[in-house]
mmCIF file of all heavy atoms in Angstrom:
data_model
loop_
_atom_site.group_PDB
_atom_site.id
_atom_site.type_symbol
_atom_site.label_atom_id
_atom_site.label_comp_id
_atom_site.label_asym_id
_atom_site.label_seq_id
_atom_site.Cartn_x
_atom_site.Cartn_y
_atom_site.Cartn_z
ATOM 1 N N VAL A 1 -21.544 7.042 -1.675
ATOM 2 C CA VAL A 1 -21.594 8.479 -1.426
ATOM 3 C C VAL A 1 -22.769 9.049 -2.197
ATOM 4 O O VAL A 1 -22.665 9.541 -3.319
ATOM 5 C CB VAL A 1 -20.255 9.155 -1.873
ATOM 6 C CG1 VAL A 1 -20.252 10.651 -1.427
ATOM 7 C CG2 VAL A 1 -19.051 8.474 -1.284
ATOM 8 N N ALA A 2 -23.933 8.852 -1.642
ATOM 9 C CA ALA A 2 -25.206 9.211 -2.273
ATOM 10 C C ALA A 2 -26.292 9.185 -1.231
ATOM 11 O O ALA A 2 -26.062 8.842 -0.062
ATOM 12 C CB ALA A 2 -25.486 8.253 -3.418
ATOM 13 N N GLU A 3 -27.499 9.490 -1.642
ATOM 14 C CA GLU A 3 -28.628 9.445 -0.720
ATOM 15 C C GLU A 3 -28.997 8.006 -0.407
ATOM 16 O O GLU A 3 -28.841 7.113 -1.215
ATOM 17 C CB GLU A 3 -29.842 10.143 -1.376
ATOM 18 C CG GLU A 3 -29.661 11.653 -1.515
ATOM 19 C CD GLU A 3 -29.468 12.375 -0.205
ATOM 20 O OE1 GLU A 3 -30.188 12.046 0.766
ATOM 21 O OE2 GLU A 3 -28.605 13.261 -0.112
ATOM 22 N N GLY A 4 -29.559 7.809 0.790
ATOM 23 C CA GLY A 4 -30.033 6.500 1.186
ATOM 24 C C GLY A 4 -29.017 5.671 1.929
ATOM 25 O O GLY A 4 -27.813 6.021 2.008
ATOM 26 N N PHE A 5 -29.458 4.575 2.469
ATOM 27 C CA PHE A 5 -28.620 3.631 3.222
ATOM 28 C C PHE A 5 -28.482 2.369 2.417
ATOM 29 O O PHE A 5 -29.443 1.684 2.086
ATOM 30 C CB PHE A 5 -29.228 3.313 4.608
ATOM 31 C CG PHE A 5 -29.270 4.493 5.519
ATOM 32 C CD1 PHE A 5 -30.347 5.397 5.504
ATOM 33 C CD2 PHE A 5 -28.203 4.737 6.396
ATOM 34 C CE1 PHE A 5 -30.343 6.528 6.309
ATOM 35 C CE2 PHE A 5 -28.265 5.855 7.238
ATOM 36 C CZ PHE A 5 -29.322 6.720 7.184
ATOM 37 N N PRO A 6 -27.235 2.017 2.042
ATOM 38 C CA PRO A 6 -27.016 0.934 1.074
ATOM 39 C C PRO A 6 -26.886 -0.434 1.697
ATOM 40 O O PRO A 6 -26.126 -0.657 2.635
ATOM 41 C CB PRO A 6 -25.678 1.306 0.423
ATOM 42 C CG PRO A 6 -24.923 1.984 1.535
ATOM 43 C CD PRO A 6 -25.963 2.691 2.380
ATOM 44 N N LEU A 7 -27.617 -1.415 1.175
ATOM 45 C CA LEU A 7 -27.457 -2.816 1.582
ATOM 46 C C LEU A 7 -26.058 -3.309 1.145
ATOM 47 O O LEU A 7 -25.684 -3.158 -0.016
ATOM 48 C CB LEU A 7 -28.512 -3.691 0.919
ATOM 49 C CG LEU A 7 -29.933 -3.671 1.485
ATOM 50 C CD1 LEU A 7 -30.908 -4.274 0.580
ATOM 51 C CD2 LEU A 7 -29.912 -4.386 2.866
ATOM 52 N N GLY A 8 -25.297 -3.821 2.086
ATOM 53 C CA GLY A 8 -23.997 -4.431 1.730
ATOM 54 C C GLY A 8 -22.874 -3.485 1.498
ATOM 55 O O GLY A 8 -21.828 -3.898 1.006
ATOM 56 N N ALA A 9 -23.050 -2.201 1.770
ATOM 57 C CA ALA A 9 -21.953 -1.231 1.495
ATOM 58 C C ALA A 9 -21.870 -0.296 2.680
ATOM 59 O O ALA A 9 -22.580 -0.394 3.696
ATOM 60 C CB ALA A 9 -22.271 -0.426 0.209
ATOM 61 N N THR A 10 -20.899 0.666 2.561
ATOM 62 C CA THR A 10 -20.697 1.659 3.617
ATOM 63 C C THR A 10 -21.372 2.993 3.205
ATOM 64 O O THR A 10 -21.124 3.502 2.141
ATOM 65 C CB THR A 10 -19.208 1.944 3.841
ATOM 66 O OG1 THR A 10 -18.579 0.733 4.330
ATOM 67 C CG2 THR A 10 -18.999 3.056 4.867
ATOM 68 N N LYS A 11 -22.209 3.488 4.097
ATOM 69 C CA LYS A 11 -22.794 4.810 3.900
ATOM 70 C C LYS A 11 -21.771 5.855 4.360
ATOM 71 O O LYS A 11 -21.390 5.945 5.529
ATOM 72 C CB LYS A 11 -24.078 4.927 4.727
ATOM 73 C CG LYS A 11 -24.646 6.352 4.867
ATOM 74 C CD LYS A 11 -25.152 6.858 3.531
ATOM 75 C CE LYS A 11 -25.798 8.218 3.769
ATOM 76 N NZ LYS A 11 -26.371 8.748 2.520
ATOM 77 N N THR A 12 -21.295 6.636 3.386
ATOM 78 C CA THR A 12 -20.223 7.582 3.653
ATOM 79 C C THR A 12 -20.615 8.993 3.234
ATOM 80 O O THR A 12 -21.266 9.151 2.172
ATOM 81 C CB THR A 12 -18.940 7.171 2.929
ATOM 82 O OG1 THR A 12 -18.618 5.818 3.232
ATOM 83 C CG2 THR A 12 -17.757 8.017 3.378
ATOM 84 N N ARG A 13 -20.184 9.929 4.023
ATOM 85 C CA ARG A 13 -20.342 11.339 3.617
ATOM 86 C C ARG A 13 -18.975 11.994 3.588
ATOM 87 O O ARG A 13 -18.022 11.514 4.200
ATOM 88 C CB ARG A 13 -21.221 12.124 4.669
ATOM 89 C CG ARG A 13 -22.661 11.620 4.701
ATOM 90 C CD ARG A 13 -23.463 12.508 5.644
ATOM 91 N NE ARG A 13 -24.864 12.148 5.727
ATOM 92 C CZ ARG A 13 -25.399 11.296 6.544
ATOM 93 N NH1 ARG A 13 -24.606 10.628 7.417
ATOM 94 N NH2 ARG A 13 -26.694 11.029 6.531
ATOM 95 N N VAL A 14 -18.905 13.121 2.884
ATOM 96 C CA VAL A 14 -17.629 13.850 2.830
ATOM 97 C C VAL A 14 -17.139 14.214 4.217
ATOM 98 O O VAL A 14 -15.931 14.152 4.509
ATOM 99 C CB VAL A 14 -17.826 15.118 1.970
ATOM 100 C CG1 VAL A 14 -16.544 15.986 2.064
ATOM 101 C CG2 VAL A 14 -18.146 14.744 0.515
ATOM 102 N N GLU A 15 -18.052 14.519 5.120
ATOM 103 C CA GLU A 15 -17.690 14.903 6.490
ATOM 104 C C GLU A 15 -16.941 13.774 7.193
ATOM 105 O O GLU A 15 -16.033 13.993 7.973
ATOM 106 C CB GLU A 15 -18.902 15.300 7.291
ATOM 107 C CG GLU A 15 -19.582 16.604 6.808
ATOM 108 C CD GLU A 15 -20.443 16.401 5.588
ATOM 109 O OE1 GLU A 15 -20.733 15.219 5.248
ATOM 110 O OE2 GLU A 15 -20.814 17.404 4.950
ATOM 111 N N SER A 16 -17.366 12.539 6.891
ATOM 112 C CA SER A 16 -16.695 11.364 7.517
ATOM 113 C C SER A 16 -15.259 11.250 7.024
ATOM 114 O O SER A 16 -14.319 10.945 7.811
ATOM 115 C CB SER A 16 -17.461 10.094 7.217
ATOM 116 O OG SER A 16 -18.755 10.136 7.806
ATOM 117 N N TYR A 17 -15.043 11.467 5.743
ATOM 118 C CA TYR A 17 -13.691 11.428 5.196
ATOM 119 C C TYR A 17 -12.835 12.515 5.835
ATOM 120 O O TYR A 17 -11.693 12.279 6.225
ATOM 121 C CB TYR A 17 -13.754 11.658 3.668
ATOM 122 C CG TYR A 17 -14.196 10.501 2.884
ATOM 123 C CD1 TYR A 17 -15.136 10.621 1.887
ATOM 124 C CD2 TYR A 17 -13.626 9.252 3.063
ATOM 125 C CE1 TYR A 17 -15.556 9.538 1.088
ATOM 126 C CE2 TYR A 17 -14.013 8.163 2.277
ATOM 127 C CZ TYR A 17 -14.980 8.311 1.328
ATOM 128 O OH TYR A 17 -15.351 7.237 0.537
ATOM 129 N N ARG A 18 -13.340 13.732 5.946
ATOM 130 C CA ARG A 18 -12.555 14.822 6.492
ATOM 131 C C ARG A 18 -12.231 14.592 7.973
ATOM 132 O O ARG A 18 -11.185 14.888 8.440
ATOM 133 C CB ARG A 18 -13.312 16.156 6.322
ATOM 134 C CG ARG A 18 -13.331 16.650 4.877
ATOM 135 C CD ARG A 18 -14.002 18.016 4.778
ATOM 136 N NE ARG A 18 -13.917 18.529 3.415
ATOM 137 C CZ ARG A 18 -12.905 19.156 2.876
ATOM 138 N NH1 ARG A 18 -11.821 19.366 3.625
ATOM 139 N NH2 ARG A 18 -12.901 19.596 1.625
ATOM 140 N N ARG A 19 -13.180 14.018 8.666
ATOM 141 C CA ARG A 19 -13.013 13.736 10.102
ATOM 142 C C ARG A 19 -11.845 12.767 10.332
ATOM 143 O O ARG A 19 -11.144 12.829 11.327
ATOM 144 C CB ARG A 19 -14.281 13.255 10.715
ATOM 145 C CG ARG A 19 -14.321 13.336 12.226
ATOM 146 C CD ARG A 19 -15.707 12.977 12.745
ATOM 147 N NE ARG A 19 -16.680 13.918 12.344
ATOM 148 C CZ ARG A 19 -17.923 13.633 12.066
ATOM 149 N NH1 ARG A 19 -18.332 12.394 12.020
ATOM 150 N NH2 ARG A 19 -18.795 14.592 11.728
ATOM 151 N N ARG A 20 -11.673 11.892 9.332
ATOM 152 C CA ARG A 20 -10.545 10.919 9.425
ATOM 153 C C ARG A 20 -9.189 11.661 9.584
ATOM 154 O O ARG A 20 -8.294 11.197 10.327
ATOM 155 C CB ARG A 20 -10.497 10.046 8.160
ATOM 156 C CG ARG A 20 -9.355 9.074 8.033
ATOM 157 C CD ARG A 20 -9.147 8.634 6.634
ATOM 158 N NE ARG A 20 -10.345 7.961 6.093
ATOM 159 C CZ ARG A 20 -10.408 7.525 4.823
ATOM 160 N NH1 ARG A 20 -9.391 7.709 3.992
ATOM 161 N NH2 ARG A 20 -11.507 6.976 4.405
ATOM 162 N N LEU A 21 -9.077 12.770 8.883
ATOM 163 C CA LEU A 21 -7.806 13.521 8.910
ATOM 164 C C LEU A 21 -7.657 14.268 10.219
ATOM 165 O O LEU A 21 -6.527 14.658 10.579
ATOM 166 C CB LEU A 21 -7.782 14.523 7.734
ATOM 167 C CG LEU A 21 -7.915 13.910 6.348
ATOM 168 C CD1 LEU A 21 -8.005 15.001 5.316
ATOM 169 C CD2 LEU A 21 -6.795 12.965 6.025
ATOM 170 N N GLU A 22 -8.742 14.522 10.893
ATOM 171 C CA GLU A 22 -8.678 15.308 12.131
ATOM 172 C C GLU A 22 -8.463 14.466 13.309
ATOM 173 O O GLU A 22 -8.451 15.007 14.486
ATOM 174 C CB GLU A 22 -9.980 16.127 12.233
ATOM 175 C CG GLU A 22 -10.199 17.112 11.067
ATOM 176 C CD GLU A 22 -11.595 17.673 11.061
ATOM 177 O OE1 GLU A 22 -12.442 17.263 11.891
ATOM 178 O OE2 GLU A 22 -11.929 18.482 10.121
ATOM 179 N N ARG A 23 -8.427 13.169 13.180
ATOM 180 C CA ARG A 23 -8.277 12.310 14.351
ATOM 181 C C ARG A 23 -7.013 12.620 15.073
ATOM 182 O O ARG A 23 -5.931 12.555 14.535
ATOM 183 C CB ARG A 23 -8.299 10.842 13.934
ATOM 184 C CG ARG A 23 -8.484 9.864 15.099
ATOM 185 C CD ARG A 23 -8.532 8.419 14.632
ATOM 186 N NE ARG A 23 -8.872 7.509 15.721
ATOM 187 C CZ ARG A 23 -8.825 6.190 15.679
ATOM 188 N NH1 ARG A 23 -8.413 5.625 14.556
ATOM 189 N NH2 ARG A 23 -9.180 5.462 16.734
ATOM 190 N N PRO A 24 -7.081 12.973 16.376
ATOM 191 C CA PRO A 24 -5.864 13.423 17.083
ATOM 192 C C PRO A 24 -4.957 12.295 17.382
ATOM 193 O O PRO A 24 -5.327 11.140 17.427
ATOM 194 C CB PRO A 24 -6.447 14.061 18.350
ATOM 195 C CG PRO A 24 -7.738 13.320 18.582
ATOM 196 C CD PRO A 24 -8.298 12.999 17.219
ATOM 197 N N ALA A 25 -3.687 12.667 17.618
ATOM 198 C CA ALA A 25 -2.726 11.695 18.128
ATOM 199 C C ALA A 25 -3.092 11.199 19.436
ATOM 200 O O ALA A 25 -3.633 11.917 20.296
ATOM 201 C CB ALA A 25 -1.312 12.285 18.093
ATOM 202 N N ARG A 26 -2.832 9.903 19.703
ATOM 203 C CA ARG A 26 -3.217 9.318 21.006
ATOM 204 C C ARG A 26 -2.134 9.535 22.029
ATOM 205 O O ARG A 26 -0.974 9.442 21.704
ATOM 206 C CB ARG A 26 -3.457 7.817 20.816
ATOM 207 C CG ARG A 26 -4.537 7.482 19.820
ATOM 208 C CD ARG A 26 -4.647 5.966 19.700
ATOM 209 N NE ARG A 26 -4.825 5.366 21.005
ATOM 210 C CZ ARG A 26 -5.991 5.238 21.612
ATOM 211 N NH1 ARG A 26 -7.080 5.698 21.003
ATOM 212 N NH2 ARG A 26 -6.064 4.695 22.783
ATOM 213 N N GLU A 27 -2.526 9.866 23.209
ATOM 214 C CA GLU A 27 -1.563 10.046 24.277
ATOM 215 C C GLU A 27 -1.324 8.762 25.063
ATOM 216 O O GLU A 27 -0.300 8.529 25.633
ATOM 217 C CB GLU A 27 -2.064 11.133 25.213
ATOM 218 C CG GLU A 27 -2.105 12.528 24.564
ATOM 219 C CD GLU A 27 -2.506 13.624 25.528
ATOM 220 O OE1 GLU A 27 -2.749 13.272 26.742
ATOM 221 O OE2 GLU A 27 -2.621 14.761 25.073
ATOM 222 N N GLN A 28 -2.349 7.896 25.146
ATOM 223 C CA GLN A 28 -2.188 6.651 25.855
ATOM 224 C C GLN A 28 -1.954 5.459 24.922
ATOM 225 O O GLN A 28 -2.262 5.525 23.753
ATOM 226 C CB GLN A 28 -3.466 6.350 26.732
ATOM 227 C CG GLN A 28 -4.639 5.810 25.954
ATOM 228 C CD GLN A 28 -5.482 6.912 25.286
ATOM 229 O OE1 GLN A 28 -5.033 8.021 25.149
ATOM 230 N NE2 GLN A 28 -6.708 6.549 24.973
ATOM 231 N N GLY A 29 -1.383 4.412 25.434
ATOM 232 C CA GLY A 29 -1.073 3.259 24.607
ATOM 233 C C GLY A 29 -2.233 2.283 24.546
ATOM 234 O O GLY A 29 -2.223 1.352 23.711
ATOM 235 N N SER A 30 -3.187 2.386 25.451
ATOM 236 C CA SER A 30 -4.270 1.405 25.507
ATOM 237 C C SER A 30 -5.450 1.826 24.646
ATOM 238 O O SER A 30 -5.660 2.968 24.320
ATOM 239 C CB SER A 30 -4.714 1.206 26.954
ATOM 240 O OG SER A 30 -5.272 2.388 27.480
ATOM 241 N N ILE A 31 -6.280 0.840 24.321
ATOM 242 C CA ILE A 31 -7.514 1.023 23.548
ATOM 243 C C ILE A 31 -8.651 0.962 24.528
ATOM 244 O O ILE A 31 -8.812 -0.033 25.285
ATOM 245 C CB ILE A 31 -7.661 -0.042 22.519
ATOM 246 C CG1 ILE A 31 -6.459 -0.052 21.493
ATOM 247 C CG2 ILE A 31 -8.980 0.140 21.724
ATOM 248 C CD1 ILE A 31 -6.346 1.177 20.674
ATOM 249 N N SER A 32 -9.493 1.943 24.595
ATOM 250 C CA SER A 32 -10.642 1.965 25.530
ATOM 251 C C SER A 32 -11.879 1.464 24.850
ATOM 252 O O SER A 32 -12.214 1.886 23.719
ATOM 253 C CB SER A 32 -10.868 3.402 26.062
ATOM 254 O OG SER A 32 -11.093 4.289 25.008
#
């Protein structure tokens, strides 16, 4: 959680964390 793109790690922003909580419930059982 910092500037730049990290070798061997995940580049994460606060927005990505928050978006995780907003993921809607799925209506279909299949994975597209």
